[in-house]
Amino acid sequence: MHNIKKLKIWNDSIDLCVDVYEALANMPNDEKYGLSSQIKRAAVSISSNIAEGAGREREKEFYYFLNIAYGSSYELQTQLILCEKLKFISSEINKSLLDRLNDVQKMIYVFKENINKRII
């Protein structure tokens, strides 16, 4: 088991989630239960799955939840791009979010690979 508060990957994904919520604050009301809701769920899913995996006893289980977090990160990436194309958020705000998301994706990938080496 890992102490999630000490995991940079978890802390960065939490910060990203907060930034995503703030960026969506001005989205149209008719998107409240549409794209906005999906984006928020994907953003929350990243840190939540890292936390769930970290709380498991076996590295193989942690690897499994990191895979889910990794998938959610690509879901979030797609939704943010769509959000920008629909002009719900500015390209400047989106670039910042996507850059941070890219950093989180890299960390998840490296973390997964390190765990995978230990469980093989």
Side-chain angles (χ1 to χ4, degrees):
M1 291 188 357
H2 301 266
N3 181 345
I4 59 171
K5 291 181 181 179
K6 292 183 179 180
L7 289 176
K8 180 172 175 34
I9 188 173
W10 180 80
N11 282 295
D12 286 1
S13 65
I14 288 285
D15 292 342
L16 173 64
C17 187
V18 169
D19 290 344
V20 165
Y21 267 73
E22 289 173 354
L24 298 179
N26 296 323
M27 273 186 77
N29 283 337
D30 61 335
E31 282 300 325
K32 185 176 182 180
Y33 299 107
L35 186 57
S36 177
S37 177
Q38 282 187 276
I39 291 170
K40 290 175 181 177
R41 282 195 309 270
V44 169
S45 177
I46 297 168
S47 54
S48 296
N49 278 290
I50 292 168
E52 186 164 355
R56 299 297 175 123
E57 291 183 27
R58 293 181 172 76
E59 292 287 298
K60 191 171 188 177
E61 292 174 299
F62 196 3
Y63 181 82
Y64 171 79
F65 284 100
L66 286 172
N67 270 325
I68 295 172
Y70 196 57
S72 293
S73 75
Y74 279 90
E75 181 181 357
L76 177 59
Q77 181 180 16
T78 299
Q79 293 161 348
L80 288 173
I81 291 168
L82 182 58
C83 209
E84 180 183 342
K85 288 185 179 282
L86 292 169
K87 305 211 183 320
F88 293 152
I89 57 175
S90 71
S91 59
E92 295 82 22
I93 290 173
N94 206 33
K95 182 181 180 336
S96 174
L97 292 173
L98 291 171
D99 287 347
R100 294 190 62 199
L101 177 58
N102 186 53
D103 292 341
V104 169
Q105 287 171 329
K106 287 176 185 175
M107 283 189 281
I108 294 171
Y109 180 81
V110 169
F111 212 109
K112 281 180 1 130
E113 290 303 304
N114 287 335
I115 289 175
N116 196 35
K117 289 175 188 172
R118 292 193 303 260
I119 61 176
I120 292 179

